[in-house]
Amino acid sequence: MSAQKDRWVSSLVFLLFCASSIPRSGSVGLQQEPSPQHYFSGLEAGRASLAFFTPSVPPGAQPFLEQIESSAEALQDYGISVVKVNCPKEDVSRYCGKENALRKAFLFRGNRLIREFPTDALFDVNSIVANVLFALLFNEVKYVETLADLENIENVLKGKSNMVFAYVPATGTAEHRAVMEAAFVYGTIHQFVLTTEAALLKATSHDDPDVSSAWLLFCHCQRATEPAQPCRRTALAQPLTLLNIHRHLKLMGAPLVTEVAEDPEKISTVHLQLGLPLVFILSQKETYEADRRTAEFVAWQLLGKAGVALLSRDLVDLNVLHRSNVALKTPDEGMPIQYLVLEDTDEVITLVEDKNKVKQIQEDEQEEEEEDEKENSNQDIQDDQVVEAVSRDKKRELPLEQILVLTEENFHSSLSEAARTVVLFYASWEAVSLAVLRSYSEVAAHLKGTPGVLLSRVNCWDWPGLCSQENVTQFPTIKIYKEGQQSVTYDGMWGTEELSSFILLSRVSCPLKLATMDEAEGYLRGEFPSELSSHHHTSLLGVFSTATSEAREAFEEAGNVLSGRVRMGMYFEDDALALSQKYSVSPPALLLARSGGRSVEGIALSKRSAQDMVQMIRYELLDVFPEITVPNLPQYLQLGKPFLILFSAGDISQIESKEMLKLAKGRPQQAFVACWLNLKKTPVGHGILKMYFSTTPSLPVLLWVNLHAGGQVFKFPSEQSITEMNILSWLEKLQAGLEIPSSALSEEDWKPPLPAYDFLQMMEPSVPELSPHTSPHPGETPAQHPPSSPGGASAGGDTAIREEASQESTAEEVGSPGRDLRGTAPRLAARDKQGKRHSEL
Amino acid sequence: LGLALYAGSLCAVSGAVFLYHDYCVIGAGPAGLQAAYFLQQAGRDYIVFERSHAPGSFFALYPRHRKLISINKQYTGKSNSEFNLRHDWNSLLSHDRRLLFRHYSRDFFPNADTMVRYLEDFASLLKLRIQYNTAIIHVTLEKNEQAWNGHYFLLTDQDRKNYKCSSLLVAAGMWVPNVVNFPGSEYVEGYETVSINPEDFAGQTVLILGRGNSAFETAENILGVTNFIHMVSRSRVRLSWATHYVGDLRAINNGLLDTYQLKSLDGLLEGDLEDLAIVKDKKGKLHITLRFYLENRNISAGIDSITLPQDELDNFATRAPYDRVIRCLGWKFDFSIYNRSLRMMPGKGNIKKYPQIKPSYESRGTRGLFVLGTASHSVDFRKSAGGFIHGFRYTTRAVHRLLENRHHGVPWPSTIYPITQLTNSIIKRVNEASGLYQMFSVLADIILLRENATAFEYLEEYPIGVLAELEMQTGRKARSGLFVIIMEYGRNFSGADKDVFYYNRAVGEAQHAWQSNFLHPVIYYYKHLPTEREMGLRPPDWPLPRPDAIHHIVEDFLTDWTAPNAHILPLRRFLENCLSTDLRNFFAESCFLFTFTHQKLPPFCQQGYVRMQGLLGSQELRHHAVQAGLLQDYTHTDFSGDRPHDSHDGSQEQLMRDHAIPVRPLQHLVNAKDE
């Protein structure tokens, strides 16, 4: 960033050299002349000077004089001297004698008077500079009042030179000055045209312009040959300042399309130097003409926003995908060139415009950050979202009345009070615990009045013995204690809904033994047991003949493992065979009733271990074409397969859903997870799309995401409709390596977000014996600082520390001892008196 | 061996009958009982020998004036039992909550009789195996290749009964009074026998030799009735609140300092007791003179012939004669019962009253002999609390753990946690652990990192003096680096001559934590276990050799190190940088985004969310995170599907800005590096 700014500065040096408004130290400033005679005799031919005449005692034109004096330096840069001529009392000449002449300033070139200004037109430095230059550049800057005048000038210029047309709301403004200063430099190259007529502004811009702000157009008349056509115009999008005008003119002067035949990484153009991106249109010999036209078209669109280069692939050996047609190089150093496959020129333009916006924002932010860094580094600013959220929430009192507080004293007695006791073990200082406690309080509100369930909590910071006795080693932990049974540890998502559902399901034993056929049928319909009737989940029923005890035991064991997570029942009465045959399986079998028993699926249970059975049940519970949400993603992640995911702005259409379902069902042992994401329900999906595509693609968009291997992201062509056939053939191409990934998952490691305080290094000066040479192996000195921040970062840190130390020692000198409470407790702001402390002792 | 494991097995070796036990403990004082408790809990074959008829016989006599100076804090405002042990200096460690000293006494400084009663209860309630009325008068070795340590310990009691053990734990305390011999020392009364009735001192002038707590305790008792008291000793007075050493003069005993400094006749003098001489005049008054004057004289010639210092220097400070001289010079270890083959040697310099031991509490002379309790204080003399109940209860446990590993293959207890619990496990321990707190700079918690830093193993209260031997002593492996967590005072803060009340003595800012003066946690990071050699070359006054990185948690007025920004955040950054990873917590939504945008996930997502333990967070919390700029809220994104145009700019910019946030800190770091 800074390097880029350097370029900026250097490219402007010549401008500043002649047009600087920055005051120079020891500047020439205002000249004084003792008398008019003296002044006129000293005037050089061709040199301009602004003079004002004043009696020895000025009659109250003091503010004007101040402005004049301060503009002297600015005008000096344009070779215009500002002279204050003293009028002797007896002088009655033209300039001194008349009373009103004393209220005017006079502009001379040589000794010829060019213009006289009433002092009220010279109200400040801007107006003085603007008016003086305007007068001097009378030929270079045309003032127009009507559209006809403008068109006349334009027509004259066509094919010869370009025109800069500026509208300023009034003369003497800062914008006016900027235009005049630019005209001083560029006046010989371009024709400058100025107006203050709002009507003209309206005629030259398309939509309703704001007449109170200035406006500048660059008219490409040099290229215009058609007399009937107006010249192409490029407006300056930034505010009218000298720098912006200069930048704009510089960009307009650059070639429209640069032809490039070398490594694009090495290319540098005016655009890149001015901090704008450069778009490469990748061309081939065969399509050169068309590509050139495209490039020119794009270049006109992007004029002033980005540069366009035509890169011939035949001449440069590019190691990029054959299909790539556009490349984007950003001015940020170290940023690799992006190669893209874009479908139309609009995409190129949108891409660049969005990039610029981001950059603008980042620049702003970066500036803010840089300012921050000067004051203190961000090391001590919390960057853990959970910790920060919890500490921001700490003043809110949690509704915990529903939750019983357990202690070492009442723990065991309380457990026997309810059929089931849910215990949250947490630490009151730990952020994740406290976050879960908040969800837990919501669960308590949700389950209020549910019979047989007691919600309680144990603060392990108060009762460490109890927590270790209950084998709680991590915070938070939730256990459900049932009388006379082993406790169950919750291992699901820390969310209100998930936890509530777990607690509700835990009320019923798992698996639930069903005694009659009616119960079994009711169970499959979701009507039995009544506790769970409000719970809409897939029901599992194990059906066993009395003989198959081995499978039954495994099933029961699996039930223990899955307790609270799955609704499981089992039936092993004499008529089990009849029940299973209804669903065309024979026991041992598993009946799966999805969505309230509307469809029941029978699966034969071959001999399996309990563990296999858990695996199988988990797998069977997964949807074929699920809607991916934040809580359910991990279940599908565990399959370890790539995702074929349809991002949809809302619910997906019936057709798409049908096609996708067909696709997903088509192959039972899918090599991928077909799923969809509802951006309304899972808005974080926007974040994903933003990361994949700088611009948001049109929705719905179907993506192939290789989550586990390689991390490429492929986008299903938007012009094709989402049908099973299309997707299959696309997938085939994809598998064959014929498709180009649109994006890739970042390979970045999760490094420490910021460096730590390097106490070892801070201690060294005060504890010399700690320095490495006393360590046994001087050769292999251990890294002074944790491995992740070698070089620059820690060096930066050093200087910061040193600076601080010096500040401290000065603070110490002025610090007055003996303030109240000082020294009796840790100071709130311990800035002073840190430095010398230990050496004093 | 199976037979030998049973208590009381008989062995007949060369005619003598030996009662065999795996472990013999000498002394049923606090340390002996503490050791017995751990041996009993582990189901080991052990016996404790006690010369008296009851435990804690030292406390039956001492302190003479019966006031213990170890604090017995009833209330701390906390129910955390581990934390409360930080302020309970009298209880021994046990699982029995009845055996907390606060149930025995309500006094802040309890009576010594209460200690005796407590120790009796401790022994009987826990059914410790103690053989009373057994004074071990001789200990020798018997070479035997089969034995655990290549030899057995043979113990003989006063009745010539013999005992044989594989391991000997000496918890005999320090009970032999220190005596100084100088001309006239026969006129000196000892602390052991001196009257404790103040009336016996009415109108007398008293000289006390020594400057420890027993000397001041004696002075305190008679301060109000004497003419004046002078105290003489070689070294200047060392105040425990200046030295942060509980063995130095405690404020509860320092009344004489007051009367001295307020010129109320009492006074302190410095001088070498070896140069002293006392002569008694005809009236029975005791005069102080110097050995130097007596050298060529015949004392029996009578006082008149002896030159007194005031004869030459007529304003000599102690020219006034004394009625009594009391010796309060402390105690030393009884070396006499150990056969020379055990090479029980006194330490050098100011630790000569203690036997020489290694930082593992094992004797330097004999393998298998461990010194426990106050006699083991040479390891941390004048530094930490190893010579006192509230210190050696932990070191005794550490010795027990070393023995369990060495002889029974039970590795040092440890817990394995996922790396996401790293910050938490440290914060938990530094806030409640009492062993780290009492035995600061002596016992340390050790974190052994597993490969790839995905998990770690936590070992509590290991003696850092033997850090280099960690793998051998604990049976745990330190393959991928380790953290050592100890508590320290500021290095130049404590000392007899230090002003510990100067302005700005406390540090408040985390970035200056290394200058903290009061007890605070310090974490050392080593990529490899330090070697013996490195331990030897550590800087003076440093408990450990130079680490690869170090972190100080800033001292805290409340010793509560749970502040999210001042304590936990800098610690997390330190750990992150040592491990080169990101240890932040994330809401499930962030993990969801990372899953789709990053090939690797931060540990919190990897070990939580991906394993279906994501933190969904309540609505309010996510809202707070959004407000803090640490989480992006995508819900308000207007998303009609068409290209964003100018009308869209606001939300679009917002989106772009915020979308950068989850990765921004990283990019930021990368940028910083480049510059």
Side-chain angles (χ1 to χ4, degrees), chain A residues 769-770, chain B residues 441-446 462-468 482-488 491 522-526 529-530 534-547 550:
Chain A
E769 63 268 31
L770 186 67
Chain B
S441 305
V442 176
L443 295 182
D445 280 6
I446 313 276
Y462 179 78
I464 46 171
V466 282
L467 183 63
L482 66 154
F483 291 101
V484 180
I485 298 131
I486 60 172
M487 307 277 262
E488 286 180 13
R491 294 218 196 283
V522 185
I523 297 119
Y524 291 71
Y525 172 66
Y526 296 95
L529 195 63
E534 284 166 330
M535 287 296 287
L537 287 168
R538 62 186 185 229
D541 291 337
W542 273 62
L544 287 166
R546 181 193 162 88
I550 196 167

Side-chain angles (χ1 to χ4, degrees), chain A residues 164-178:
Chain A
V164 178
F165 170 65
Y167 160 80
V168 289
T171 56
T173 55
E175 291 86 8
H176 183 206
R177 176 184 169 183

Side-chain angles (χ1 to χ4, degrees), chain A residues 357-358 361 365 369 373 379-386 388-389 392-393 396 408-409 429-430 432 435-436 438 442 461-464 473-474 490-495 498 628-630 633-635 637-638 677 683-684 686-688 690-692 696 699 707 710 745-747 749-757 759-760 762-764 766-767 769-770 776 782-784 786-788 804 808 818 822-824 826-827 833-834 837-838 841, chain B residues 78-80 97 417-418 421 424 427-428 431-432 492 502-508 510-515 517 527 533-534 537 539 542 546-548 550-552 557 562 564-565 569 572-574 576-578 580-582 584-590 592-602 609-610 612-618 620-621 624 627-628 630-631 634-635 639 643 649 652-653 655-657 659 664-666 668-669 673:
Chain A
K357 268 176 213 155
V358 174
I361 291 156
E365 276 177 5
E369 271 170 33
E373 268 166 34
Q379 269 170 306
D380 45 3
I381 293 170
Q382 187 59 259
D383 52 0
D384 183 312
Q385 50 184 228
V386 180
E388 182 64 20
R392 281 176 186 234
D393 198 44
R396 186 170 66 93
E408 230 156 65
E409 277 86 28
W429 49 265
E430 201 259 336
V432 177
V436 170
R438 278 153 177 81
E442 289 172 12
W461 168 224
D462 289 334
W463 308 104
T473 55
Q474 296 188 22
Y490 177 67
D491 63 357
M493 286 280 164
W494 298 115
E498 290 75 9
I628 284 294
T629 60
V630 172
L633 172 69
Q635 295 169 23
L637 268 186
Q638 289 194 332
L677 187 145
V684 66
H686 288 301
I688 297 169
K690 276 287 148 199
M691 290 290 239
Y692 290 167
T696 312
L699 294 171
L707 283 179
L745 272 59
S746 161
E747 278 182 275
D749 279 319
W750 289 87
K751 292 286 177 198
L754 285 170
Y757 298 127
F759 288 132
L760 198 59
M762 292 180 209
M763 289 165 92
E764 240 140 46
S766 77
V767 191
E769 63 268 31
L770 186 67
Q784 301 258 315
S788 69
E804 198 143 40
E808 278 158 8
R822 262 175 67 151
T824 50
R827 279 155 304 131
K833 263 215 167 167
Q834 293 280 333
R837 257 250 299 254
H838 279 246
L841 292 171
Chain B
K78 291 190 168 72
S79 64
N80 187 318
R97 288 168 63 214
Y417 299 94
Q421 293 291 315
N424 280 351
I427 290 294
K428 173 179 154 68
N431 277 295
E432 66 182 26
N492 291 309
Y502 68 93
Y503 279 115
N504 303 327
R505 60 190 170 277
V507 173
Q511 70 200 82
H512 302 301
W514 68 279
Q515 294 174 311
N517 279 321
K527 288 180 191 156
R533 192 180 132 77
E534 284 166 330
L537 287 168
W542 273 62
R546 181 193 162 88
D548 292 305
I550 196 167
H551 183 72
H552 290 252
F557 196 52
T562 59
N565 288 322
L569 176 66
R572 194 195 83 211
R573 295 215 191 285
F574 167 74
E576 280 173 336
N577 280 283
C578 289
S580 190
T581 186
D582 184 336
R584 284 178 293 176
N585 304 306
F586 295 97
F587 286 112
E589 191 178 299
S590 299
F592 182 87
L593 179 69
F594 299 154
T595 307
F596 275 106
T597 54
H598 288 72
Q599 298 199 32
K600 295 169 190 154
L601 292 179
Y609 179 71
V610 170
M612 293 187 251
Q613 290 234 302
L615 181 65
L616 291 171
S618 69
E620 288 95 346
L621 286 184
H624 282 303
Q627 285 199 321
L630 294 168
L631 186 69
Y634 295 96
T635 43
F639 214 76
R643 274 190 208 299
D649 274 3
Q652 186 71 11
E653 279 173 22
L655 187 68
M656 296 305 281
R657 182 208 318 251
H659 123 86
R664 206 181 73 199
L666 283 169
H668 178 81
L669 186 66
K673 270 188 222 163

Side-chain angles (χ1 to χ4, degrees), chain A residues 38-300:
Chain A
H38 220 269
Y39 169 64
F40 287 115
S41 62
L43 287 177
E44 290 168 43
R47 234 179 111 75
S49 67
L50 180 71
F52 59 98
F53 297 85
T54 157
S56 31
V57 186
Q62 210 51 48
F64 159 70
L65 277 179
E66 273 171 22
Q67 297 301 329
I68 280 282
E69 276 176 45
S70 44
S71 65
E73 280 168 24
L75 287 172
Q76 192 73 39
D77 294 326
Y78 299 97
I80 303 159
S81 50
V82 180
V83 187
K84 180 179 150 198
V85 183
N86 287 328
C87 289
K89 263 190 187 143
E90 63 281 6
D91 196 331
V92 285
S93 68
R94 179 181 168 192
Y95 298 108
C96 281
K98 290 177 198 149
E99 182 64 20
N100 61 350
L102 292 175
R103 299 204 178 278
K104 283 181 178 169
F106 300 88
L107 181 67
F108 296 92
R109 178 178 275 151
N111 49 17
R112 193 163 70 87
L113 175 66
I114 293 180
R115 179 81 71 88
E116 44 177 276
F117 301 104
T119 51
D120 52 5
L122 308 180
F123 42 89
D124 66 359
V125 179
N126 285 335
S127 63
I128 294 168
V129 176
N131 281 315
V132 168
L133 288 179
F134 196 21
L136 284 175
L137 298 172
F138 184 73
N139 291 321
E140 286 85 354
V141 181
K142 293 260 190 332
Y143 185 81
V144 292
E145 282 180 340
T146 63
L147 191 58
D149 291 347
L150 182 66
E151 279 166 356
N152 283 342
I153 297 171
E154 207 174 328
N155 286 334
V156 170
L157 289 174
K158 270 180 191 162
K160 294 185 192 114
S161 70
N162 295 323
M163 176 173 85
V164 178
F165 170 65
Y167 160 80
V168 289
T171 56
T173 55
E175 291 86 8
H176 183 206
R177 176 184 169 183
V179 172
M180 295 322 300
E181 285 181 310
F184 191 88
V185 180
Y186 289 97
T188 50
I189 307 164
H190 308 303
Q191 177 62 55
F192 278 70
V193 178
L194 185 73
T195 189
T196 53
E197 295 298 322
L200 256 175
L201 170 69
K202 281 174 187 147
T204 50
S205 62
H206 351 271
D207 34 45
D208 225 11
D210 176 11
V211 293
S212 63
S213 60
W215 169 255
L216 186 136
L217 282 178
F218 188 89
C219 308
H220 303 265
C221 295
Q222 203 169 8
R223 291 166 192 266
T225 41
E226 291 282 319
Q229 289 280 320
C231 311
R232 276 179 190 270
R233 291 162 177 174
T234 313
L236 171 65
Q238 285 94 18
L240 244 66
T241 65
L242 181 56
L243 272 181
N244 285 338
I245 297 172
H246 160 68
R247 193 165 169 267
H248 193 62
L249 296 181
K250 194 103 176 109
L251 287 171
M252 296 306 118
L256 191 60
V257 174
T258 322
E259 298 222 15
V260 175
E262 56 174 313
D263 183 1
E265 293 284 357
K266 291 173 189 153
I267 296 287
S268 179
T269 66
V270 177
H271 301 91
L272 290 170
Q273 284 157 12
L274 292 177
L276 291 177
L278 183 61
V279 175
F280 293 93
I281 305 291
L282 306 189
S283 160
Q284 274 153 321
K285 214 184 282 165
E286 302 78 37
T287 57
Y288 176 80
E289 280 308 318
D291 292 337
R292 166 117 209 140
R293 278 197 299 279
T294 311
E296 278 176 10
F297 176 78
V298 171
W300 277 116

